Amino acid sequence: MEHIVEVAEGVSLWVEARGPEHAPAVLLIMGSTASGLFWPDALVESLSQHYRVIRYDHRDTGASTWAFDRVPYSAPRMAEDALAILDALGIAAAHVVGLSLGGLLAQWLMVEHPARLLSATVIGAPALDGAPERADLASRASIDPGLLEFWSHMFDPRDLDAQVEWRVENWRRLNGQVLAFDAEEFRVLERRVIAHAGRHDTSTAHARVDPSGLRRGAELTQVSVPTLVIAAPEDPTHSVSNARFLAETLPRSTLVTLDGMGHAIPRAIVPGLAAALLRHFESTTSQAR
């Protein structure tokens, strides 16, 4: 079921909820500039057999309001949008799963609003800035320089076909070298996302969002939320050492490595990811009984 949730005056978010209405909720938070549709349908379908699964478009993505110049916002405000969605759907607390920027927003929620999280899962994100340093583990490994150079052209104007192909190439680079990359899978997905948004450009809003409010890493050592940290060995944006650092910083964490995974969720990785998430949700539910 689709919903439109107003999170500020003149700002509404596209939200989709699947699964039993009274089942425990799972809130999926996507990364920067990415529509919620990038959470694969197959993953949502698998989780929604037992949970009420919610995915949504951030501000300035997908079918949500694009209005950063008129209504600017900070990174913590993006995290608060997630809570506004839960409030609108009458959900007191949820299992929160964040990818990339979504993983940072999930950590901020763990620090600021722990009672709203049944559990957390962080994928492809480092610890929040300010986490206690360790001599044996880096908190933030460098992003591949070639990828950074490629990203410097993210907002270049392109026609529809060229935009689709640029995005497919981006997913190829994020996919890593182990799992075979199916360009057509992501080409179809990108065309679906563009049709969903009604436009093919990429907003610069998330590149201009003030991230300073996310500097809450020093508080991660006190977080009580049970957290799954997923290490993706093929991720060119955040290395396995980042995942290890985060897992060792959080008091109630479990580290799981998904072999072959990069910074994308191709069809091939969905079964393993779904299984890891379901195990985590069930284990946290069992501990709470």
Side-chain angles (χ1 to χ4, degrees), residues 167-222:
R167 292 183 183 182
V168 170
E169 173 61 18
N170 185 48
W171 287 119
R172 184 190 69 78
R173 293 168 181 249
L174 294 176
N175 188 72
Q177 303 298 314
V178 171
L179 296 178
F181 179 68
D182 184 346
E184 189 59 21
E185 174 187 350
F186 284 91
R187 190 172 291 114
V188 168
L189 176 57
E190 284 293 355
R191 289 194 176 275
R192 178 186 173 197
V193 166
I194 287 169
H196 170 69
R199 56 195 297 172
H200 69 270
D201 58 323
T202 300
S203 171
T204 63
H206 293 180
R208 294 185 283 154
V209 162
D210 179 5
S212 60
L214 295 182
R215 293 171 185 157
R216 305 285 296 274
E219 298 167 75
L220 291 175
T221 58
Q222 305 301 315

Side-chain angles (χ1 to χ4, degrees), residues 1-281:
M1 180 179 294
E2 295 185 11
H3 305 262
I4 300 299
V5 175
E6 187 174 32
V7 294
E9 185 175 353
V11 178
S12 297
L13 305 186
W14 174 87
V15 179
E16 180 196 72
R18 295 196 202 177
E21 184 173 351
H22 299 294
V26 175
L27 180 67
L28 305 175
I29 307 180
M30 188 35 75
S32 176
T33 75
S35 164
L37 292 182
F38 286 115
W39 292 106
D41 288 347
L43 177 66
V44 174
E45 182 63 27
S46 178
L47 300 180
S48 66
Q49 299 303 307
H50 306 282
Y51 296 90
R52 188 181 187 193
V53 182
I54 302 150
R55 59 181 173 177
Y56 69 99
D57 293 338
H58 292 296
R59 304 176 189 218
D60 294 285
T61 67
S64 292
T65 302
W66 294 44
F68 184 82
D69 290 329
R70 177 173 59 82
V71 189
Y73 49 89
S74 65
R77 187 66 184 83
M78 294 179 72
E80 289 171 351
D81 286 348
L83 299 183
I85 290 169
L86 296 182
D87 290 341
L89 298 181
I91 298 169
H95 298 283
V96 172
V97 181
L99 172 67
S100 195
L101 172 63
L104 296 174
L105 301 183
Q107 291 177 63
W108 187 89
L109 290 170
M110 291 157 62
V111 169
E112 185 68 17
H113 297 283
R116 302 301 302 272
L117 280 70
L118 299 174
S119 76
T121 299
V122 177
I123 311 168
L128 296 179
D129 279 344
E133 294 185 9
R134 294 175 54 97
D136 57 330
L137 285 175
S139 62
R140 290 174 180 264
S142 299
I143 297 177
D144 176 77
L147 183 59
L148 289 176
E149 195 285 327
F150 181 74
W151 282 352
S152 71
H153 300 285
M154 181 179 295
F155 307 115
D156 292 356
R158 302 179 187 87
D159 64 27
L160 173 60
D161 290 340
Q163 180 75 322
V164 169
E165 294 309 311
W166 189 92
R167 292 183 183 182
V168 170
E169 173 61 18
N170 185 48
W171 287 119
R172 184 190 69 78
R173 293 168 181 249
L174 294 176
N175 188 72
Q177 303 298 314
V178 171
L179 296 178
F181 179 68
D182 184 346
E184 189 59 21
E185 174 187 350
F186 284 91
R187 190 172 291 114
V188 168
L189 176 57
E190 284 293 355
R191 289 194 176 275
R192 178 186 173 197
V193 166
I194 287 169
H196 170 69
R199 56 195 297 172
H200 69 270
D201 58 323
T202 300
S203 171
T204 63
H206 293 180
R208 294 185 283 154
V209 162
D210 179 5
S212 60
L214 295 182
R215 293 171 185 157
R216 305 285 296 274
E219 298 167 75
L220 291 175
T221 58
Q222 305 301 315
V223 166
S224 60
V225 178
T227 306
L228 173 65
V229 180
I230 292 183
E234 289 295 300
D235 189 340
T237 70
H238 298 292
S239 74
V240 169
S241 69
N242 291 0
R244 290 198 191 106
F245 178 91
L246 178 59
E248 295 196 20
T249 299
L250 293 165
R252 299 184 62 192
S253 67
T254 301
L255 179 66
V256 170
T257 299
L258 290 184
D259 293 334
M261 187 176 185
H263 201 72
I265 312 178
R267 188 180 298 114
I269 208 70
V270 166
L273 177 58
L277 291 173
L278 290 169
R279 283 194 302 270
H280 176 56
F281 300 157

